[in-house]
């Protein structure tokens, strides 16, 4: 069948044109849910009808059969059928097939089709962003300015803006299944839909039909970096520049001030559990980032050249254009330009325009100057991250290698038997510089080379290009001193160390120890001198992912909150400005969800100099996929952090009663979650009924799916992403609510329900936790797996999860006064329900394939095909969720 859709669906196409044009002429609707229905739901219905004409590998009627399969799933689950019964009944009634292999082939076609439906919905929702969200409404910089103006708080707002920053760190964590080619189609399709450009939409839909949706091989860290750089160049460069310009021009009136938004970058620097990240990779990505930002400047200067045609100015612009060209296309031959020189040249152009040419087009020059202030010649700062256990092993390897070479070593022979404090004293006394040949293992060599690479990047891109070393699994002050010592061994002057050493605390126990660890370090003279050289500031990273996996949803969030308070207090006591870096994922169970509300809910007892957070996977696509969504979400973060200080009187601080309640709720939920986690069928349940064992086969990320080399999967080695993602694919979302209902019920039984209701009403932090938990529950769908309750081994596990879900669902609705989950976010609720409906057949196909693999008589060919079916079904399910849970 031809791909000429204009002929195949001519009547439908023309009818769609008239309908959508009538939508465009309709007056803007103030109610977001009405705007969503008009600009998302209705448009999806129209454009999805065009998909019916897309043939897939000879099965022209797949588009016609899919609605029947969807309805079979809806009806089947309502009548208590399981996925196997639904699929078999569908084939018996609607699509006769001669054998099982042919049936699998047809299921693959449905998977292929649904994947593209998800892309279409993404593009439509992106195109409608500004109609569903009020871009200048609550949380925007304009709204923040207006509120400060009317409340007489402009001086306080200006003072806060002189110091406050948001640091958005893009990570390569594998939660995004779209390859780069598909991301480009989503972006372009969204623009065409926003313009109602039917001819172009037609072409993009055809393109979707023949574009692969999966990587044939596992991406390299460089591949991941290149994919993310698309967002830097095409979205964030412009949107961040727009925000900076507005604040600079309208609020601070061109004062010389700090960049309000900074970018961080993990691909190529995050070594934790990723054996494919090498020092050479880090250097190559740093060079790519430099090249990318210079290309952006080069494009801007070429545009300016067409306007800045004035005498004298034109010569300066031509010279700068030539220098940028050389830096892009002949970087090895040219003299590398740096931020300071760029700013000097642009300032010279600006001064001449003011003096001789009436400041014509001065705003355009100011805009480029602002971008250079923000992005320098590094674009995004690469963070280096490695596990503390690796650093311990590297120091031991250096010592062993030096002793084998008769160079004396760096540690005493009884080092292993020393106390932690004695070990630190030994390390701090080391006064020796090594080279790469003083290591004898691959990991030791790369760790040392990565420290050398930081110096090289700072020379090429500037200090901001790479200036943080993050220690995963940081459990002691010794872990910090080990890294400090490695820098000294690699020739760095530790009195002027131009690198921040950042501990990462994740597990519940590590969060409890964090205060003691930092107290010890702050009292250490040599480390205190290091902090003096770093403007008396210390960055501390707190990870939500492993915290939730370790301690459950409520306890992890409360533990992080209290850790921040304690770390703030101890830092202030020592005159240190602490900056918290949150390792947040997309779903609420990994610290995601409504992130801006989380930051707006923090009290004065938590340092608020900066907001730093990781952004990953579908969250990058959904929050920063378009100029409008990126600017909106960045402004929401900025506003959340700033309003905490400027309008502090609007916030009720946590009272002792509030704290006691949160402590009790967290403790109860922790016990309930730990009891569930200790169930011997906990991990086997996930492996049996979810695609947990298939994450490595998706080829979406360069990191292995688990830590360690053991063939047997143990809970401690399980990464947070496949852990959370597998519960999401099961549509049970355990990490987002388990233990919450039990904790609420226990206090209710004790006659303390009014106290809990007051907590919800008065404490924004708790209210945000409950709101985000509701999001996780709304994305759950237990009829999909209801058949498990009859399993003699795993039935009790399913019943336990379902009981906790039902309990939590009932109590959070009672607590919030809502009739349904996410009642106060109607567009968000509608989006989730539409997405879940689109992928319901995918979920059914995945569970059907998992069931078929349990047949001990299955042939090897069928086994391979069912495993592929499971893997392929994961793509659309995860992409539709956008934030995984």
């Amino acid at each position: 069948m031809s791909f000429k859709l204009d002929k195949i669906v001519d009547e439908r196409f023309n009818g769609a044109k008239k309908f959508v044009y009538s939508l465009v002429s309709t007056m803007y609707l103030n109610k977001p849910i009405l705007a969503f229905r008009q600009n998302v739901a209705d448009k999806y219905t129209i454009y999805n009808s065009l998909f019916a004409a897309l043939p897939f590998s000879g099965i022209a009627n797949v588009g016609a059969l899919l609605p029947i399969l969807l309805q079979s799933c809806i009806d089947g689950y309502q009548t208590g059928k399981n996925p196997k019964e639904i699929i078999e009944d569908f084939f018996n009634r609607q699509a006769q097939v001669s054998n099982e292999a042919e049936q699998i082939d047809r299921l693959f076609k449905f998977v292929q089709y649904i994947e593209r439906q998800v892309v279409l919905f993404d593009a439509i929702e992106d195109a409608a962003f500004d109609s569903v969200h009020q871009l200048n409404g609550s949380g925007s910089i304009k709204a923040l300015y207006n509120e400060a103006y009317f409340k007489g708080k402009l001086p306080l707002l200006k003072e806060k803006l002189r110091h406050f920053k948001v640091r958005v760190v893009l990570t390569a964590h594998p939660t995004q299944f779209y390859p780069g080619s598909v991301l480009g189609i989503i972006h372009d399709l969204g623009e065409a839909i926003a313009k109602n450009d039917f001819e172009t939409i037609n072409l993009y839909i055809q393109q979707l039909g023949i574009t692969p949706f999966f990587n044939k091989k596992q991406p390299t860290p460089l591949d991941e970096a290149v994919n993310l750089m698309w967002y830097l160049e095409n979205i964030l460069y412009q949107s961040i520049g727009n925000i900076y310009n507005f604040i600079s021009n309208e609020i601070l009136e061109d004062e010389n001030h700090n960049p309000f938004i900074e970018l961080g970058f993990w691909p190529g620097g995050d070594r934790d559990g990723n054996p494919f990240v090498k020092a050479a990779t880090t250097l190559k990505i740093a060079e790519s980032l430099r090249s990318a930002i210079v290309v952006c400047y080069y494009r801007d200067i070429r545009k300016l050249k067409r306007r800045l045609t004035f005498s004298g100015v034109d010569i300066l612009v031509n010279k700068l254009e030539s220098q940028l060209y050389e830096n892009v296309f002949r970087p090895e031959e040219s003299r590398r330009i740096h931020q300071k020189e760029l700013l000097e040249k642009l300032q010279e152009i600006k001064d001449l325009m003011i003096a001789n040419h009436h400041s014509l087009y001065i705003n355009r020059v100011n805009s480029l100057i602002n971008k250079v202030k923000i992005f320098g010649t590094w674009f995004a700062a690469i963070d280096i991250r490695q596990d503390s256990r690796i650093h311990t092993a590297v120091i031991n390897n250096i010592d062993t290698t030096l002793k084998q070479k008769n160079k004396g070593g760096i540690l005493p022979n009884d080092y292993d038997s020393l106390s932690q404090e004695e070990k630190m004293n030994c390390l701090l006394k080391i006064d020796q510089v090594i080279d790469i040949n003083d290591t004898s293992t691959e990991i030791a060599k790369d760790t040392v080379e990565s420290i050398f690479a930081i110096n090289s990047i700072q020379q090429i891109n500037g200090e901001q290009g790479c200036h943080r070393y993050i220690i995963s699994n940081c459990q002691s002050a010794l872990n910090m001193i080990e890294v400090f010592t490695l820098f000294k061994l690699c020739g760095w002057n530790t009195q002027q160390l131009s690198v921040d050493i950042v501990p990462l605390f994740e597990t519940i126990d590590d969060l409890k120890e964090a205060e003691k660890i930092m107290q010890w370090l702050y009292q250490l003279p040599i480390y205190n001198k290091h902090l003096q050289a770093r403007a008396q500031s210390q960055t501390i990273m707190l990870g939500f992912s492993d915290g939730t996996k370790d301690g459950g949803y409520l306890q992890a969030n409360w533990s992080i909150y209290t850790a921040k308070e304690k770390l703030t207090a101890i830092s202030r006591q020592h005159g240190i400005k602490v900056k918290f870096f949150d390792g947040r994922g997309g779903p609420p169970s990994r610290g995601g969800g409504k992130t801006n509300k989380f930051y707006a809910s923090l009290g004065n007892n938590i340092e608020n100099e900066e907001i730093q957070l990781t952004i990953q996977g579908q969250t990058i696509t959904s929050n920063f996929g378009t100029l409008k969504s990126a600017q909106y979400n960045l402004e929401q973060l900025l506003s959340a952090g700033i309003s905490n200080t400027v309008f502090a009187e609007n916030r009720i601080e946590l009272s002792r009663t509030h704290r006691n309640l949160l402590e009790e709720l967290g403790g109860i939920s922790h016990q309930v979650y730990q009891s569930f986690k200790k169930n011997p069928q906990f991990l086997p349940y996930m492996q049996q009924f979810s695609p947990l064992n298939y994450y490595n086969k998706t080829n979406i990320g360069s990191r292995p799916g688990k830590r360690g080399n053991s063939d047997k999967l143990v809970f401690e080695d399980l990464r947070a992403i496949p852990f959370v993602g597998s519960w999401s694919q099961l549509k049970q979302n355990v990490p987002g609510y388990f233990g919450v209902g039990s904790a609420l019920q226990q206090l209710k039984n004790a006659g303390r329900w009014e106290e809990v209701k007051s907590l919800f009403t008065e404490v924004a932090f708790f209210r945000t936790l409950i709101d985000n938990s509701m999001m996780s529950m709304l994305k759950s769908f237990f009829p999909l797996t209801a058949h498990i309750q009859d399993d003699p081994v795993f039935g009790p596990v399913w019943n336990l999860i379902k009981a906790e879900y039902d309990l939590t669902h009932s109590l959070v609705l009672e607590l919030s006064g809502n009739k349904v989950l996410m009642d106060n976010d109607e567009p968000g609720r509608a989006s989730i329900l539409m997405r879940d409906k689109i992928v319901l057949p995918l979920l059914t196909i995945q569970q059907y394939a998992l069931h078929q693999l349990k047949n001990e008589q299955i042939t090897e060919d069928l086994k391979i095909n069912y495993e592929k079916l499971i893997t392929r079904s994961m793509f659309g399910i995860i992409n539709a969720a956008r934030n995984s849970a």
Side-chain angles (χ1 to χ4, degrees):
M1 183 181 288
S2 169
F3 271 88
K4 298 290 184 179
L5 293 182
D6 52 338
K7 294 181 180 179
I8 298 173
V9 291
D10 189 58
E11 290 184 11
R12 185 182 297 165
F13 193 77
N14 289 329
K17 279 187 181 181
K18 293 178 182 177
F19 185 80
V20 175
Y21 284 143
S22 71
L23 293 181
V24 175
S25 63
T26 302
M27 184 181 295
Y28 175 78
L29 296 169
N30 288 324
K31 291 187 177 181
I33 185 57
L34 296 179
F36 178 89
R37 290 169 184 164
Q38 186 182 64
N39 295 307
V40 180
D42 290 347
K43 281 192 177 183
Y44 175 75
T45 300
I46 295 165
Y47 293 130
N48 186 47
S49 67
L50 300 181
F51 268 55
L54 284 178
F56 289 92
S57 304
I59 300 182
N61 63 344
V62 64
L65 286 173
L66 184 57
I68 299 173
L69 175 58
L70 173 59
Q71 194 60 48
S72 296
C73 293
I74 294 171
D75 294 342
Y77 290 122
Q78 286 179 346
T79 56
K81 290 182 179 178
N82 63 46
K84 181 176 183 294
E85 292 169 335
I86 290 171
I87 295 295
E88 289 180 346
D89 184 58
F90 168 78
F91 278 115
N92 289 335
R93 290 188 297 110
Q94 302 294 341
Q96 294 293 331
V97 290
S98 57
N99 55 57
E100 194 170 358
E102 184 179 342
Q103 180 173 299
I104 293 173
D105 185 58
R106 295 207 175 189
L107 290 175
F108 268 113
K109 301 306 180 294
F110 287 126
V111 171
Q112 185 182 17
Y113 192 101
I114 296 167
E115 286 174 339
R116 286 150 179 81
Q117 286 183 311
V118 173
V119 170
L120 177 64
F121 191 87
D122 282 346
I124 291 171
E125 198 164 44
D126 286 344
F129 190 88
D130 56 339
S131 67
V132 177
H133 300 81
Q134 295 185 15
L135 301 187
N136 293 320
S138 177
S140 69
I141 297 300
K142 287 183 180 178
L144 181 70
Y145 174 81
N146 290 335
E147 186 178 359
Y149 177 82
F150 286 112
K151 290 185 175 180
K153 300 277 187 148
L154 275 183
L156 192 56
L157 174 61
K158 291 181 178 181
E159 180 61 28
K160 184 66 177 178
L161 281 168
R162 292 187 184 101
H163 306 285
F164 185 77
K165 282 188 287 190
V166 167
R167 186 186 186 99
V168 172
V169 181
L170 305 184
T171 79
H173 287 1
T175 58
Q176 175 55 268
F177 285 85
Y178 291 137
S181 58
V182 176
L183 289 173
I185 296 174
I186 294 175
H187 179 268
D188 296 342
L189 181 58
E191 289 190 341
I193 290 169
K195 298 173 184 175
N196 294 298
D197 182 353
F198 280 81
E199 301 301 329
T200 304
I201 293 167
N202 183 359
L203 290 172
Y204 289 152
I205 287 176
Q206 294 180 49
Q207 184 182 355
L208 277 177
I210 54 178
T211 299
F213 269 50
F214 59 95
N215 298 311
K216 293 182 180 179
K217 62 178 183 178
Q218 188 174 21
T220 66
L222 183 59
D223 293 332
E224 293 172 328
V226 170
N227 281 341
L228 285 185
M229 278 185 219
W230 185 91
Y231 293 97
L232 297 180
E233 295 179 70
N234 294 283
I235 305 295
L236 293 168
Y237 176 74
Q238 189 63 47
S239 58
I240 292 174
N242 291 341
I243 294 171
Y244 192 105
N245 289 341
F246 178 81
I247 295 175
S248 177
N249 297 335
E250 304 299 328
I251 302 179
L252 295 181
E253 299 169 353
D254 291 325
E255 294 179 20
N256 186 19
H257 40 70
N258 71 293
F260 313 108
I261 303 172
E262 295 179 334
L263 294 174
F265 207 72
W266 273 19
D270 183 9
R271 289 160 163 72
D272 181 17
N274 193 337
F276 307 112
V277 176
K278 304 294 183 184
T281 312
T282 308
L283 290 168
K284 192 167 186 176
I285 290 173
E287 185 64 49
S288 297
L289 285 166
R290 177 189 171 84
S291 177
I293 190 58
V294 176
V295 166
C296 290
Y297 296 153
Y298 175 70
R299 289 172 181 163
D300 277 2
I301 206 71
R302 282 182 62 83
K303 292 176 185 176
L304 274 173
K305 183 180 176 180
R306 298 179 66 179
R307 303 280 78 86
L308 305 186
T309 53
F310 326 128
S311 177
V313 173
D314 57 344
I315 296 173
L316 294 176
V317 172
N318 282 333
K319 285 182 179 179
L320 182 53
E321 179 197 8
S322 297
Q323 189 172 359
L324 289 172
Y325 179 91
E326 294 294 320
N327 268 252
V328 172
F329 298 105
R330 300 188 185 95
E332 300 302 326
E333 303 172 23
S334 64
R335 180 176 60 80
R336 293 181 182 273
I337 194 168
H338 288 279
Q339 183 190 36
K340 182 180 178 182
E341 184 182 356
L342 257 173
L343 289 173
E344 288 172 350
K345 290 179 179 294
L346 288 169
Q347 188 63 45
E348 187 180 0
I349 291 169
K350 179 179 176 180
D351 291 343
L352 191 57
M353 291 169 65
I354 294 171
N356 299 338
H357 303 292
H358 313 290
S359 299
L360 192 61
Y361 297 119
I362 199 75
N363 284 342
R364 298 193 184 190
V365 177
N366 282 335
S367 178
L368 182 53
I369 289 173
N370 289 340
K371 288 172 182 173
V372 175
K373 287 179 180 178
I374 299 167
F375 304 114
T377 50
W378 56 85
F379 211 159
I382 295 177
D383 286 344
I384 307 297
R385 183 171 78 127
Q386 184 55 283
D387 191 286
S388 63
R389 291 163 291 193
I390 298 296
H391 303 135
T392 304
V394 171
I395 287 176
N396 286 329
N397 179 258
I398 292 170
D399 178 60
T400 300
T401 306
L402 289 173
K403 286 175 179 175
Q404 289 173 348
K405 291 183 175 183
N406 295 319
K407 290 186 177 181
I410 55 173
L411 303 175
N413 293 330
D414 62 346
Y415 180 79
D416 289 340
S417 64
L418 299 178
S419 67
Q420 182 177 161
E421 186 172 346
E422 289 171 332
K423 286 180 178 179
M424 285 190 280
N425 288 333
C426 287
L427 294 176
L428 292 172
K429 290 176 183 176
I430 294 173
D431 188 16
Q432 190 170 343
V433 175
I434 63 167
D435 60 39
I436 199 62
N437 295 318
D438 292 328
T439 59
S440 57
T441 64
E442 185 177 350
I443 190 66
K445 179 180 179 181
D446 181 70
T447 302
V448 170
E449 285 185 333
S450 70
I451 294 175
F452 291 149
I454 296 173
N455 184 56
S456 299
I457 294 170
Q458 290 192 356
Q459 297 303 314
I460 297 169
N461 291 3
E463 182 181 319
Q464 286 294 104
C466 187
H467 63 98
R468 306 204 306 186
Y469 197 109
I470 301 167
I471 307 170
S472 296
N473 191 43
C474 187
Q475 298 182 333
S476 66
L478 175 61
N479 292 153
M480 293 281 285
I481 297 304
E482 285 172 334
V483 171
F484 191 78
T485 301
L486 284 170
F487 274 92
K488 186 161 55 171
L489 285 166
C490 292
W492 289 72
N493 179 356
T494 52
Q495 298 297 316
Q496 297 177 329
L497 181 61
S498 56
V499 178
D500 298 317
I501 300 175
V502 181
L504 167 53
F505 305 112
E506 289 196 84
T507 67
I508 304 301
D509 288 341
D510 290 348
L511 289 165
K512 289 178 181 177
E513 292 296 312
E515 179 189 14
K516 186 188 301 182
I517 291 170
M518 298 314 300
Q519 164 85 328
W520 203 96
L521 287 167
Y522 290 156
Q523 292 176 337
L524 192 64
I526 192 169
Y527 193 78
N528 201 267
K529 287 182 180 178
H530 163 63
L531 292 180
Q532 289 175 21
R534 304 302 293 165
Q536 288 292 95
S537 69
Q538 171 70 55
T539 300
I540 298 174
M541 186 173 182
L542 302 167
F544 283 78
S545 299
D546 283 335
T548 304
K549 182 169 82 79
D550 175 52
Y553 177 73
L554 267 185
Q555 183 65 18
N557 279 277
W558 178 238
S559 294
I560 289 170
Y561 189 99
T562 54
K564 283 185 175 182
E565 287 188 319
K566 292 174 182 177
L567 289 166
T568 297
I570 197 67
S571 299
R572 288 173 176 171
Q573 181 181 326
H574 289 272
I576 305 298
K577 184 73 72 173
V578 67
K579 299 174 182 179
F580 293 114
F581 176 24
D582 291 317
R584 308 182 77 92
S589 54
R590 299 188 59 234
K594 300 170 184 176
T595 307
N596 59 307
K597 289 189 176 182
F598 169 82
Y599 285 111
S601 72
L602 302 182
N604 287 329
N605 292 330
I606 293 176
E607 195 64 73
N608 187 33
E609 184 78 3
E610 294 187 14
I611 285 177
Q612 300 186 20
L613 73 164
T614 55
I615 306 286
Q616 60 191 248
Q618 304 96 309
T619 311
I620 297 174
T621 305
S622 59
N623 288 3
F624 304 100
T626 68
L627 285 171
K628 289 177 180 177
S629 64
Q631 189 163 333
Y632 173 86
N633 285 298
L634 288 168
E635 286 192 23
Q636 291 286 317
L637 282 173
L638 265 173
S639 180
I642 292 170
S643 61
N644 243 343
T645 301
V646 177
F647 309 115
E649 72 278 4
N650 295 340
R651 186 180 58 255
I652 297 177
E653 291 292 331
L654 291 180
S655 66
R656 174 48 54 190
T657 301
H658 293 149
R659 291 180 178 280
N660 290 341
L661 272 173
L662 285 165
E663 192 71 38
E664 283 188 74
L665 288 167
I668 297 165
S669 69
H670 184 234
Q671 291 175 1
V672 171
Y673 177 75
Q674 290 297 323
S675 175
F676 178 40
K677 203 170 70 172
K678 290 175 182 177
N679 188 313
Q681 302 304 330
F682 181 86
L683 205 52
Y685 177 89
M686 293 182 69
Q687 292 178 291
Q688 187 86 358
F689 298 105
S690 84
L692 177 65
N693 294 336
Y694 299 90
Y695 261 81
N696 269 357
K697 299 180 181 181
T698 57
N699 290 334
I700 56 165
S702 65
R703 289 201 311 178
K706 68 180 185 69
R707 297 178 174 88
N709 299 316
S710 172
D711 292 333
K712 182 180 179 182
L713 180 64
V714 295
F715 185 81
E716 289 70 25
D717 288 342
L718 181 59
R719 290 191 180 281
I721 288 168
F723 175 73
V724 171
S726 294
W727 287 116
S728 173
Q729 300 261 316
L730 261 176
K731 300 304 286 182
Q732 294 179 357
N733 288 329
V734 161
Y737 61 83
F738 200 92
V740 175
S742 292
L744 293 174
Q745 185 66 56
Q746 186 163 324
L747 289 183
K748 187 176 184 180
N749 291 343
R752 302 173 62 189
W753 189 240
E754 289 302 316
E755 293 179 49
V756 178
K757 288 172 69 175
S758 295
L759 182 69
F760 181 83
T761 303
E762 298 171 6
V763 178
F765 169 73
F766 181 60
R767 197 160 56 247
T768 301
L769 290 187
I770 297 299
D771 284 348
N772 281 336
S773 190
M774 286 189 193
M775 183 189 296
S776 287
M777 285 188 283
L778 183 62
K779 293 184 178 184
S780 300
F781 182 68
F782 280 87
L784 177 73
T785 54
H787 60 281
I788 302 175
Q789 62 187 310
D790 298 323
D791 187 288
V793 177
F794 296 106
V797 178
W798 189 92
N799 286 317
L800 179 64
I801 297 169
K802 182 62 164 59
E804 184 65 24
Y805 171 87
D806 289 341
L807 179 63
T808 307
H809 181 276
S810 171
L811 289 176
V812 297
L813 289 182
E814 182 181 348
L815 184 63
S816 63
N818 292 344
K819 295 180 180 178
V820 292
L821 296 173
M822 291 184 66
D823 202 5
N824 58 351
D825 180 11
E826 291 183 289
R829 173 183 168 82
S831 176
I832 289 170
L833 294 178
M834 280 194 72
R835 288 172 176 276
D836 281 356
K837 184 177 180 180
I838 291 170
V839 298
L840 185 58
L842 268 187
L843 294 160
T844 305
I845 290 169
Q846 183 184 93
Q847 283 296 314
Y848 171 74
L850 285 164
H851 180 275
Q852 294 300 92
L853 286 173
K854 296 173 187 174
N855 182 359
E856 296 180 358
Q857 307 302 318
I858 192 171
T859 66
E860 188 62 27
D861 286 345
L862 287 176
K863 180 182 178 183
I864 291 171
N865 284 329
Y866 277 123
E867 288 180 339
K868 287 181 179 178
L869 192 60
I870 292 168
T871 303
R872 281 300 302 277
S873 66
M874 294 169 68
F875 293 18
I877 296 169
I878 287 290
N879 288 333
R882 278 214 160 177
N883 67 2
S884 293

